[in-house]
Amino acid sequence: MRYDMTHEANNEEIQRCIEECLLCLKACNYCFTACLQEENASHMAECIRLTRECADICAYAASAMSRQSPFVVEICNLCATICEICAKQCAQHDHEHCQECAKACRSCAEVCRGMAS
Amino acid sequence: MRYDMTHEANNEEIQRCIEECLLCLKACNYCFTACLQEENASHMAECIRLTRECADICAYAASAMSRQSPFVVEICNLCATICEICAKQCAQHDHEHCQECAKACRSCAEVCRGMAS
Amino acid sequence: MRYDMTHEANNEEIQRCIEECLLCLKACNYCFTACLQEENASHMAECIRLTRECADICAYAASAMSRQSPFVVEICNLCATICEICAKQCAQHDHEHCQECAKACRSCAEVCRGMAS
Amino acid sequence: MRYDMTHEANNEEIQRCIEECLLCLKACNYCFTACLQEENASHMAECIRLTRECADICAYAASAMSRQSPFVVEICNLCATICEICAKQCAQHDHEHCQECAKACRSCAEVCRGMAS
């Protein structure tokens, strides 16, 4: 039964996934603000847009996991999807904050996908 | 006692304030996305930054009011402050989405300040 | 291409879905607080838990739609799922706030499912 | 000028405050779910209500700090206020989750108040 998911999932696994989401939240928000300060913000528009999306779902997922939401599977799946797309976007830019963000997103996506499987 | 605030406040007043926050949330988020698509997004950087801030606090305030949070006074005060600063920023730009957003922010700020007084 | 979803979707349809989410947010938060004040809150525990879940995803979905998030389809699908489960839970209780909430959740679920299809 | 707050604030101080908020978010959400499962949830109603309030503002504050929001001072002040009231409520209950939550809230309140001063 889906409601028991959080009991079945290893507690250590949940804690690790929460930490990954929080790291990704911080990397995305840092990248968002840094992108806005780049000389050519228009070039960074998609990155700005996606880091906001990704920061929001990561905050939401971390909160959901910490309250043992019955929807952790679905939420982590959505979080993984958004992280993957944000990672691809950020990876296209050479700025250190984008590269760091891409790394955090990829790592978070992987752990979220694991949680959801 | 502060916990009784929502009982003292006129229910119609709360409903109106919730609606103002939701209108402002929509105007800010619309403006955020439209600003990112402007040719010179760098020129819009502060607007992009503040519309995100404002959309987030409006969503938070509307949710808090609808659950009769004991902190409605403090939250509405913070919402009013952020709306006022976002309104000033948006008002500096001629784009219709900025002007519309400035109007929604000013209106929301006023009603939130009323709620908090 | 998924990124064009919001352009394909009828704007009126999006506006209606945003409104449904905001109505559901208000109904869920109202029910949450009312359930906590019922004499037998233990009996309402699952309702309290799910109305919080549902209010949170509705706020998230409304905000995502208003900023034309590229993930509107996935988010609306998740929102529909949570609304449906919350509706079933609330429908089991005779309290007016639960019945009203169940109605708002069902309506929101239906419109979100439409948005996502 | 208020906009420079995050530049003046020691970066280490901000990082510590973000971590405190995230710890408090987790403690509050854990306590929320545990309270709902207590035999006498009615007795825990105010605790349930306040841990939700506190978890929400902590998530909001952590996200705001990580994006260097211009409103960090005001947001951290509000977060401190809510944490203090949640701490007092939780401290009244003997459950381990309540005592742990009270501790996390007090610690977070102190650091947030420091950030805001």
Side-chain angles (χ1 to χ4, degrees), chain B residues 28-39:
Chain B
C28 284
N29 271 338
Y30 184 81
C31 188
F32 172 89
T33 302
C35 283
L36 278 174
Q37 292 166 350
E38 293 293 341
E39 266 182 54

Side-chain angles (χ1 to χ4, degrees), chain C residues 19-35:
Chain C
E19 293 312 313
E20 283 290 333
C21 285
L22 298 177
L23 285 173
C24 193
L25 160 70
K26 289 190 280 185
C28 284
N29 271 337
Y30 184 82
C31 188
F32 173 89
T33 302
C35 283

Side-chain angles (χ1 to χ4, degrees), chain C residues 91-111:
Chain C
Q92 293 172 28
H93 303 282
D94 288 336
H95 306 296
E96 200 189 334
H97 53 83
C98 291
Q99 291 294 318
E100 288 298 319
C101 189
K103 209 155 58 170
C105 290
R106 270 193 301 266
S107 177
C108 187
E110 201 180 325
V111 178

Side-chain angles (χ1 to χ4, degrees), chain A residues 20-31:
Chain A
E20 284 289 333
C21 286
L22 297 177
L23 286 172
C24 192
L25 160 70
K26 289 189 280 184
C28 284
N29 271 337
Y30 183 81
C31 188

Side-chain angles (χ1 to χ4, degrees), chain D residues 74-102:
Chain D
E74 291 86 347
I75 293 168
C76 284
N77 252 330
L78 176 57
C79 191
T81 299
I82 297 178
C83 283
E84 284 158 9
I85 292 176
C86 188
K88 268 180 212 161
Q89 177 56 236
C90 285
Q92 293 173 27
H93 303 283
D94 288 336
H95 305 298
E96 200 189 332
H97 53 82
C98 291
Q99 291 295 318
E100 287 298 318
C101 189

Side-chain angles (χ1 to χ4, degrees), chain A residues 7 15 18-19 22 25-26 29-30 32-33 37 55-56 59 62-64 66-68, chain D residues 7 15 18-19 22 25-26 29-30 32-33 37 55-56 59 62-64 66-68:
Chain A
H7 298 277
Q15 292 309 315
I18 293 175
E19 293 312 314
L22 297 177
L25 160 70
K26 289 189 280 184
N29 271 337
Y30 183 81
F32 172 88
T33 301
Q37 293 166 350
D56 281 5
S63 187
S66 66
R67 68 177 180 253
Q68 298 167 48
Chain D
H7 298 277
Q15 292 309 316
I18 293 174
E19 293 313 314
L22 298 176
L25 160 70
K26 289 189 280 185
N29 272 337
Y30 184 82
F32 172 89
T33 302
Q37 292 165 350
D56 281 5
S63 186
S66 66
R67 68 179 179 252
Q68 298 167 47

